[in-house]
mmCIF file of all heavy atoms in Angstrom:
data_model
loop_
_atom_site.group_PDB
_atom_site.id
_atom_site.type_symbol
_atom_site.label_atom_id
_atom_site.label_comp_id
_atom_site.label_asym_id
_atom_site.label_seq_id
_atom_site.Cartn_x
_atom_site.Cartn_y
_atom_site.Cartn_z
ATOM 1 N N ALA A 19 10.322 23.764 13.576
ATOM 2 C CA ALA A 19 9.685 25.075 13.652
ATOM 3 C C ALA A 19 9.998 25.937 12.395
ATOM 4 O O ALA A 19 9.118 26.600 11.839
ATOM 5 C CB ALA A 19 10.119 25.809 14.908
ATOM 6 N N GLU A 20 11.247 25.842 11.943
ATOM 7 C CA GLU A 20 11.650 26.616 10.754
ATOM 8 C C GLU A 20 10.865 26.135 9.515
ATOM 9 O O GLU A 20 10.429 26.952 8.716
ATOM 10 C CB GLU A 20 13.157 26.461 10.495
ATOM 11 C CG GLU A 20 14.024 27.175 11.567
ATOM 12 C CD GLU A 20 15.456 26.638 11.592
ATOM 13 O OE1 GLU A 20 15.872 25.944 10.651
ATOM 14 O OE2 GLU A 20 16.120 26.897 12.595
ATOM 15 N N MET A 21 10.714 24.831 9.385
ATOM 16 C CA MET A 21 10.014 24.288 8.190
ATOM 17 C C MET A 21 8.527 24.612 8.237
ATOM 18 O O MET A 21 7.908 24.836 7.213
ATOM 19 C CB MET A 21 10.240 22.775 8.067
ATOM 20 C CG MET A 21 11.677 22.367 7.803
ATOM 21 S SD MET A 21 12.411 23.164 6.364
ATOM 22 C CE MET A 21 13.727 24.088 7.137
ATOM 23 N N ALA A 22 7.947 24.641 9.467
ATOM 24 C CA ALA A 22 6.529 24.994 9.567
ATOM 25 C C ALA A 22 6.290 26.406 9.041
ATOM 26 O O ALA A 22 5.212 26.707 8.501
ATOM 27 C CB ALA A 22 6.091 24.875 11.028
ATOM 28 N N ALA A 23 7.291 27.271 9.151
ATOM 29 C CA ALA A 23 7.123 28.665 8.747
ATOM 30 C C ALA A 23 7.687 28.947 7.347
ATOM 31 O O ALA A 23 7.624 30.083 6.878
ATOM 32 C CB ALA A 23 7.818 29.577 9.781
ATOM 33 N N ALA A 24 8.253 27.955 6.697
ATOM 34 C CA ALA A 24 8.941 28.200 5.402
ATOM 35 C C ALA A 24 7.950 28.640 4.321
ATOM 36 O O ALA A 24 6.897 28.019 4.161
ATOM 37 C CB ALA A 24 9.666 26.934 4.952
ATOM 38 N N PRO A 25 8.251 29.696 3.597
ATOM 39 C CA PRO A 25 7.315 30.172 2.572
ATOM 40 C C PRO A 25 7.371 29.365 1.280
ATOM 41 O O PRO A 25 6.329 29.125 0.658
ATOM 42 C CB PRO A 25 7.759 31.612 2.341
ATOM 43 C CG PRO A 25 9.205 31.694 2.760
ATOM 44 C CD PRO A 25 9.424 30.570 3.742
ATOM 45 N N GLU A 26 8.547 28.924 0.846
ATOM 46 C CA GLU A 26 8.676 28.213 -0.471
ATOM 47 C C GLU A 26 8.533 26.715 -0.245
ATOM 48 O O GLU A 26 9.486 26.081 0.181
ATOM 49 C CB GLU A 26 10.062 28.491 -1.067
ATOM 50 C CG GLU A 26 10.321 29.943 -1.435
ATOM 51 C CD GLU A 26 9.492 30.353 -2.641
ATOM 52 O OE1 GLU A 26 9.286 29.514 -3.524
ATOM 53 O OE2 GLU A 26 9.016 31.503 -2.678
ATOM 54 N N ARG A 27 7.362 26.158 -0.522
ATOM 55 C CA ARG A 27 7.129 24.746 -0.150
ATOM 56 C C ARG A 27 7.084 23.812 -1.346
ATOM 57 O O ARG A 27 6.902 22.615 -1.186
ATOM 58 C CB ARG A 27 5.841 24.630 0.663
ATOM 59 C CG ARG A 27 5.755 25.610 1.838
ATOM 60 C CD ARG A 27 4.596 25.333 2.734
ATOM 61 N NE ARG A 27 4.794 24.191 3.593
ATOM 62 C CZ ARG A 27 5.387 24.267 4.775
ATOM 63 N NH1 ARG A 27 5.857 25.419 5.240
ATOM 64 N NH2 ARG A 27 5.532 23.208 5.546
ATOM 65 N N GLY A 28 7.241 24.289 -2.585
ATOM 66 C CA GLY A 28 7.138 23.449 -3.772
ATOM 67 C C GLY A 28 5.721 23.002 -4.058
ATOM 68 O O GLY A 28 4.761 23.444 -3.380
ATOM 69 N N VAL A 29 5.569 22.135 -5.026
ATOM 70 C CA VAL A 29 4.246 21.706 -5.477
ATOM 71 C C VAL A 29 4.146 20.165 -5.415
ATOM 72 O O VAL A 29 5.047 19.479 -5.929
ATOM 73 C CB VAL A 29 4.012 22.136 -6.970
ATOM 74 C CG1 VAL A 29 2.610 21.732 -7.422
ATOM 75 C CG2 VAL A 29 4.210 23.619 -7.129
ATOM 76 N N PRO A 30 3.118 19.581 -4.765
ATOM 77 C CA PRO A 30 2.985 18.129 -4.734
ATOM 78 C C PRO A 30 2.923 17.544 -6.160
ATOM 79 O O PRO A 30 2.450 18.190 -7.080
ATOM 80 C CB PRO A 30 1.647 17.906 -3.988
ATOM 81 C CG PRO A 30 1.443 19.148 -3.210
ATOM 82 C CD PRO A 30 2.036 20.270 -4.017
#
Side-chain angles (χ1 to χ4, degrees):
E20 290 160 16
M21 294 305 117
E26 295 290 325
R27 310 188 77 86
V29 182

